[in-house]
Amino acid sequence: MGGLGKTTLAQLVYNDKQVQDHFDLKAWTCVSDDFDVFRLTKTILISIVPDQNVDNHNLNKLQEELKKKLSGKIFLLVLDDVWNENYNDWDRLRPPFEAGAPGSKIIVTARNQEVAAIMGTVRAYQLKKLSNDDCLSVFAQHSLGSDKLLEEIGKKIVAKCDGLPLAAQTLGGLLRGKDDRCDWERVLSTKIWELQEERCDIMPALRVSYYYLSAPLKQCFAYCSLFPKDYEFEEGEIILLWSAVGFLNHGESGNPSEDLGRKFFQELRGRSFFQQSSNSISRFVMHDLINDLARWAAGETYFTLEYTSEVNKQQCFSRNLRHLSYIRGDYDGVQRFEKLYDIQHLRTFLPVMLNSRHGYLAHSILPKLFKLQSLRVFSLRGYCIAELPDSVGDLRYLRHLNLSGTEIKTLPESVSKLYNLHTLLLEGCRRLKKLCADMGNLIKLHHLNNSNTDSLEEMPLGIGKLTCLQTLGNFAVGKDNGSGLRELKSLIHLQGTLKISKLENVKDIGDAKEARLDGKKNLRELSLNWTCSTDGSSSREAETEMGVLDMLKPHKNLEQFGICGYGGTKFPTWLGDSSFLNLVTLKFEDCGMCTALPSVGQLPSLKHLTVRGMSRVKRLGSEFYGDDSQIPFTCLETFRFEDLQEWEEWIPHGSSQGVERAPSCIGDACY
């Protein structure tokens, strides 16, 4: 039975401190009703080794790699929500796990006793419904109800939950913060409880919770039906989608709609429609029954195209369809979308990646998709696409374009005609070299996430016209005709993370001053990068680079800061300024001309310090600690030094005597 708390119980075990300390490796995989051995093996391997490229592996190769990683290790694997009753499928998945050390465990959650019999080697633990008292406790925990006058009604509402914690949880969230007895009585007496099961197979308690959502929340929740079961999503991701399709009433200045989106998200989370993922504190999932509720609420306006062995079977779409998602396959051919091209009012075209990292799209599909000119959301995320046709510029209503993880090298100039574009996602486009020249035309653009685009040569002229911009992953300084640092001056709303790359192209220190980084109070992470010379030759001037860095002093709200490839001989004095109260992480990498580290010992919140590739640093002494009268590094947790080849002496704080030689581990890493 769904909603009993099987996944919640498994999560408590999985995240327990003693469990974490006992196992060498842990992995959590949501299986659902698609027990695809290839997909599951790939997912488990990626969860253990996130950076491993497994795109071209067949099943045999995947299992060899997984066996290698598990060999001799005590591991814990959770296979959540398994429906498969075919023993042969389980027998094909199992071989790599046999390489684990004694004491390894596999936890399986399932609704079906037959599944437990097939996969289990010990007797299954069968969860029972909660007692009335326990169910009331769950309800009270989420409703925060302590009023004795409401307790009697609360008991009657809980009685309708039939001992299911999910039902008690969602109804508790529904009544959270409501102290008016009438609100509680209205929930108790609603006729939705009596809706015949043959007309609706959704749990009555969930129907009631949905019914009492406000109209805007119902709209936003229904949009979540586009996410398949077990799909993990981020808060920011879904807010941008809601905003793009017009659910948040776009504001003209300051983008207040996203603040409203955060409020909606937190309200849905508070009512247990969203739950935190087991794999990441920044990701969320919907319970299977909540996902069913979303699809029930969505009706014919939304559709999720599943990827099955019958992928070539033509799908008929309702004329009322406005929002489409589909589980992206390794190869998506023409037939999969053939009936879609007639839906001229389609607003959302959204591929969803579950486990596959890359996919291929038939070449003839894109020109046809770009004829769907009512699109607000269009994504090609993760496809191996090298270029876009110019007809992308015909999508005049487009607000959200996601090209992350594609193979594109240049943005077509027609993108600059997308005057309504609000979000442009280019994250991880590692071959991207150029944006379109007239990027400054996109004056409604709020988010340009081009992080992890190290091949980007420069920002186009006029980028400073994008005064609404809040997100900018990578600002590549132009060498000749590209944008200089001065263009950052007008981007006063930047927030989150910013990387400024190719700083060696700055020839005028005044440009660095005009960037006004000290006025960007909403930035939390900043990385300043100079390109390291690969052949040892360089025409760079140390004095210029020192002047540039001195002028790039950030706002004191900064939490993480890094400097990489810097060619100056010393660091500016502001780096150790104790007024940087929030600075937690600090990194210095490949600053090969510096002979000393800055005085950072008095940064009050510094927890993590990394120094790497500082080949000319020979000693650490009082200049590193700062004020001799104060104890340095009071909050430091990790202190990582790597590749300091000439380091000879470390003078402890308060001592006039140095260590004769640096510890032998310093050449590699030291904590």
Side-chain angles (χ1 to χ4, degrees):
M1 178 181 291
L4 280 173
K6 298 179 291 297
T7 298
T8 301
L9 179 59
Q11 285 175 333
L12 290 172
V13 173
Y14 188 79
N15 295 317
D16 184 82
K17 181 66 166 59
Q18 286 183 284
V19 172
Q20 290 179 345
D21 293 340
H22 177 76
F23 292 96
D24 301 321
L25 296 172
K26 294 197 313 170
W28 180 292
T29 301
C30 293
V31 180
S32 199
D33 54 358
D34 179 21
F35 198 94
D36 184 295
V37 175
F38 177 84
R39 178 184 68 82
L40 290 173
T41 305
K42 190 174 186 179
T43 302
I44 295 167
L45 179 58
I46 290 173
S47 67
I48 293 174
V49 192
D51 296 328
Q52 182 159 342
N53 188 347
V54 296
D55 291 327
N56 298 318
H57 289 11
N58 56 28
L59 178 60
N60 185 57
K61 180 65 174 175
L62 286 172
Q63 293 201 327
E64 286 180 2
E65 290 292 329
L66 182 56
K67 181 178 180 180
K68 189 186 304 181
K69 298 300 179 184
L70 297 178
S71 180
K73 300 289 179 64
I74 303 176
F75 68 85
L76 171 64
L77 171 64
V78 177
L79 298 175
D80 185 36
D81 195 25
V82 180
W83 290 78
N84 176 62
E85 298 182 26
N86 188 329
Y87 177 79
N88 292 331
D89 287 339
W90 166 235
D91 202 41
R92 290 173 62 216
L93 178 68
R94 185 174 55 185
F97 308 132
E98 296 171 353
S104 297
K105 301 293 181 184
I106 299 177
I107 297 175
V108 177
T109 71
R111 299 186 196 180
N112 191 323
Q113 195 69 34
E114 293 297 322
V115 174
I118 289 172
M119 301 184 67
T121 56
V122 296
R123 186 177 179 182
Y125 180 79
Q126 188 165 353
L127 269 66
K128 299 179 181 179
K129 293 181 180 181
L130 298 180
S131 66
N132 283 338
D133 288 344
D134 287 340
C135 203
L136 181 61
S137 177
V138 172
F139 174 82
Q141 179 184 353
H142 288 273
S143 67
L144 300 179
S146 57
D147 190 333
K148 293 294 183 181
L149 296 175
L150 299 176
E151 186 174 338
E152 181 183 348
I153 307 175
K155 288 181 178 179
K156 293 179 180 179
I157 293 174
V158 166
K160 292 178 176 290
C161 293
D162 195 28
L164 297 177
L166 179 63
Q169 189 176 337
T170 54
L171 286 174
L174 168 65
L175 293 169
R176 187 182 185 92
K178 295 183 178 180
D179 299 324
D180 190 329
R181 182 183 179 91
C182 293
D183 291 329
W184 290 56
E185 288 180 337
R186 195 176 297 118
V187 169
L188 177 63
S189 61
T190 179
K191 292 183 179 180
I192 300 175
W193 293 105
E194 302 167 9
L195 191 64
Q196 294 298 314
E197 290 296 324
E198 58 266 22
R199 293 178 54 194
C200 177
D201 59 0
I202 302 299
M203 186 189 297
L206 299 186
R207 295 200 304 261
V208 171
S209 296
Y210 170 78
Y211 178 79
Y212 283 102
L213 292 177
S214 65
L217 275 179
K218 285 181 178 178
Q219 196 175 39
C220 290
F221 176 63
Y223 196 85
C224 298
S225 67
L226 294 176
F227 297 141
K229 291 181 179 180
D230 303 322
Y231 178 75
E232 297 182 356
F233 52 89
E234 295 182 348
E235 179 179 353
E237 170 190 2
I238 197 169
I239 289 173
L240 290 180
L241 292 171
W242 287 342
S243 181
V245 292
F247 292 169
L248 304 179
N249 296 321
H250 285 260
E252 292 299 325
S253 61
N255 201 28
S257 63
E258 290 181 34
D259 292 333
L260 181 61
R262 282 185 279 274
K263 179 182 176 182
F264 284 174
F265 189 94
Q266 291 305 321
E267 189 165 350
L268 287 170
R269 185 186 179 190
R271 297 189 181 196
S272 300
F273 286 98
F274 301 151
Q275 299 176 352
Q276 189 173 303
S277 164
S278 303
N279 297 317
S280 171
I281 60 173
S282 65
R283 291 184 172 274
F284 300 87
V285 296
M286 291 190 295
H287 189 281
D288 281 2
L289 298 181
I290 299 293
N291 189 283
D292 290 339
L293 176 67
R295 295 193 181 196
W296 169 76
E300 293 184 340
T301 307
Y302 297 84
F303 189 80
T304 298
L305 183 60
E306 304 286 350
Y307 189 85
T308 66
S309 58
E310 299 182 35
V311 69
N312 291 322
K313 183 179 179 180
Q314 290 188 8
Q315 175 71 49
C316 292
F317 300 104
S318 167
R319 290 290 177 178
N320 296 322
L321 181 64
R322 293 294 181 270
H323 307 284
L324 173 85
S325 70
Y326 63 97
I327 299 175
R328 205 205 63 201
D330 292 331
Y331 179 82
D332 293 321
V334 175
Q335 286 183 305
R336 192 172 192 197
F337 308 110
E338 191 162 345
K339 296 290 186 180
L340 184 67
Y341 307 135
D342 296 330
I343 312 295
Q344 290 299 315
H345 298 291
L346 193 70
R347 303 292 182 88
T348 300
F349 181 85
L350 188 67
V352 178
M353 293 193 303
L354 289 180
N355 304 295
S356 177
R357 291 192 172 185
H358 294 289
Y360 294 87
L361 192 68
H363 183 72
S364 59
I365 289 178
L366 283 182
K368 295 180 179 180
L369 289 176
F370 290 155
K371 292 180 180 179
L372 300 173
Q373 295 187 11
S374 294
L375 283 173
R376 269 65 168 174
V377 172
F378 184 74
S379 175
L380 293 170
R381 181 186 174 198
Y383 277 118
C384 292
I385 295 171
E387 61 181 10
L388 291 180
D390 286 336
S391 54
V392 66
D394 295 336
L395 302 178
R396 55 181 176 167
Y397 297 113
L398 196 66
R399 295 174 181 165
H400 184 106
L401 178 59
N402 190 348
L403 302 173
S404 296
T406 59
E407 304 291 317
I408 60 170
K409 297 179 180 179
T410 61
L411 275 184
E413 292 301 322
S414 59
V415 168
S416 62
K417 297 179 182 179
L418 301 175
Y419 302 118
N420 288 301
L421 200 62
H422 179 272
T423 300
L424 176 57
L425 304 179
L426 300 165
E427 186 177 7
C429 294
R430 300 187 182 275
R431 297 189 180 186
L432 182 66
K433 294 185 176 182
K434 291 184 179 181
L435 303 174
C436 45
D438 293 327
M439 202 79 179
N441 291 342
L442 304 178
I443 58 174
K444 293 184 180 180
L445 196 65
H446 283 71
H447 302 281
L448 173 56
N449 188 348
N450 61 335
S451 56
N452 298 319
T453 54
D454 294 337
S455 295
L456 188 63
E457 295 174 352
E458 61 186 14
M459 304 305 288
L461 284 172
I463 199 75
K465 297 177 184 178
L466 306 181
T467 55
C468 292
L469 209 58
Q470 294 183 0
T471 302
L472 178 59
N474 177 20
F475 185 97
V477 179
K479 188 172 185 179
D480 297 314
N481 298 321
S483 285
L485 279 177
R486 290 177 182 268
E487 301 237 28
L488 283 171
K489 176 181 178 180
S490 56
L491 306 183
I492 60 175
H493 298 297
L494 289 181
Q495 60 187 25
T497 301
L498 172 65
K499 173 183 175 181
I500 304 178
S501 59
K502 295 183 168 50
L503 279 166
E504 69 279 3
N505 291 334
V506 182
K507 305 303 180 185
D508 185 350
I509 295 174
D511 282 353
K513 183 177 182 180
E514 286 295 310
R516 302 284 175 88
L517 289 188
D518 57 349
K520 300 183 186 348
K521 62 182 180 180
N522 294 318
L523 281 181
R524 295 295 176 261
E525 300 180 28
L526 177 65
S527 177
L528 302 178
N529 291 55
W530 286 257
T531 304
C532 298
S533 176
T534 56
D535 58 4
S537 63
S538 176
S539 59
R540 289 157 53 177
E541 298 181 4
E543 289 292 329
T544 300
E545 298 199 9
M546 286 191 290
V548 168
L549 181 57
D550 193 31
M551 293 298 168
L552 292 179
K553 180 180 178 180
H555 193 277
K556 292 172 183 177
N557 287 344
L558 206 65
E559 297 173 3
Q560 299 185 38
F561 185 46
I563 298 175
C564 180
Y566 171 59
T569 56
K570 62 181 181 179
F571 293 100
T573 55
W574 57 256
L575 256 171
D577 192 336
S578 60
S579 63
F580 283 98
L581 298 176
N582 301 323
L583 195 61
V584 173
T585 302
L586 189 56
K587 294 182 180 181
F588 303 99
E589 299 180 289
D590 299 319
C591 304
M593 300 298 291
C594 292
T595 57
L597 293 175
S599 301
V600 295
Q602 301 305 317
L603 292 170
S605 301
L606 188 65
K607 292 183 179 180
H608 310 288
L609 175 62
T610 298
V611 180
R612 181 182 293 116
M614 305 281 285
S615 57
R616 296 196 181 191
V617 173
K618 293 186 177 182
R619 66 187 294 274
L620 288 180
S622 59
E623 73 286 347
F624 180 51
Y625 305 121
D627 189 346
D628 285 339
S629 65
Q630 301 291 327
I631 298 175
F633 301 113
T634 54
C635 292
L636 201 64
E637 296 177 2
T638 61
F639 188 19
R640 185 180 185 91
F641 278 20
E642 292 183 29
D643 194 22
L644 273 69
Q645 299 174 358
E646 297 185 19
W647 193 9
E648 298 174 351
E649 185 180 35
W650 187 347
I651 301 176
H653 180 253
S655 171
S656 59
Q657 298 292 322
V659 177
E660 183 176 348
R661 288 192 60 82
S664 59
C665 62
I666 291 301
D668 180 20
C670 184
Y671 297 85

